[in-house]
Amino acid sequence: MGIIQVNNIKLHAFHGCLEEESKIGSEYSIDVQVVADLRKSARTDKLSDTVDYVHLNHVVKEEMAIRSELLEEVAQRILNRLFKEIRKIKKAKVSVAKINPPIGGNVEEVVVILTKKR
């Protein structure tokens, strides 16, 4: 087994419960970690034998573009799609962080982390 991580994917999106969040949006940082059997790709040096991190990034960007009220729902959608589209994934963790959330205080970020296993 092995781990592939795509860290600190920076995006602007429009998630949140407040009306102004749907209009002006916020900055987000997303981390994806997947566990897969990487022994074959380590031997063959072939992209087809591994989990393509370009695909991971693509899924995150597409799912973040779909508005949700809760970060939990966004993270779950990302996980569901990863498992549907990439059969090699055995386990995954997705972290979605909203930078400078509008919660009435000096808060750097709020983060939702979800995991899923096959």
Side-chain angles (χ1 to χ4, degrees):
M1 285 296 143
I3 296 172
I4 294 175
Q5 295 181 169
V6 181
N7 294 329
N8 206 18
I9 301 167
K10 300 280 192 181
L11 297 168
H12 187 85
F14 298 88
H15 308 300
C17 297
L18 303 175
E19 186 178 333
E20 58 266 17
E21 290 176 298
S22 70
K23 294 176 183 170
I24 62 170
S26 297
E27 298 301 316
Y28 292 85
S29 175
I30 303 91
D31 296 334
V32 176
Q33 181 184 82
V34 298
V35 175
D37 187 347
L38 304 178
R39 291 174 295 183
K40 184 176 181 183
S41 59
R43 285 190 320 270
T44 66
D45 197 28
K46 302 262 187 235
L47 182 59
S48 60
D49 292 332
T50 192
V51 176
D52 185 353
Y53 51 79
V54 172
H55 191 164
L56 299 175
N57 185 57
H58 177 75
V59 168
V60 168
K61 286 170 42 176
E62 284 193 350
E63 292 303 322
M64 286 296 291
I66 301 168
R67 178 167 159 61
S68 296
E69 288 191 5
L70 300 178
L71 299 181
E72 292 90 326
E73 204 263 343
V74 178
Q76 189 64 58
R77 275 200 332 265
I78 292 168
L79 282 172
N80 290 345
R81 233 181 108 189
L82 293 176
F83 276 80
K84 181 181 176 187
E85 295 180 15
I86 307 171
R87 298 295 306 163
K88 290 178 175 69
I89 295 174
K90 304 295 183 206
K91 184 178 177 183
K93 178 168 82 169
V94 173
S95 169
V96 179
K98 181 183 280 191
I99 312 301
N100 297 318
I103 60 174
N106 186 9
V107 177
E108 182 177 334
E109 64 184 12
V110 293
V111 183
V112 169
I113 302 169
L114 294 181
T115 60
K116 184 174 179 174
K117 268 189 215 188
R118 194 173 301 282

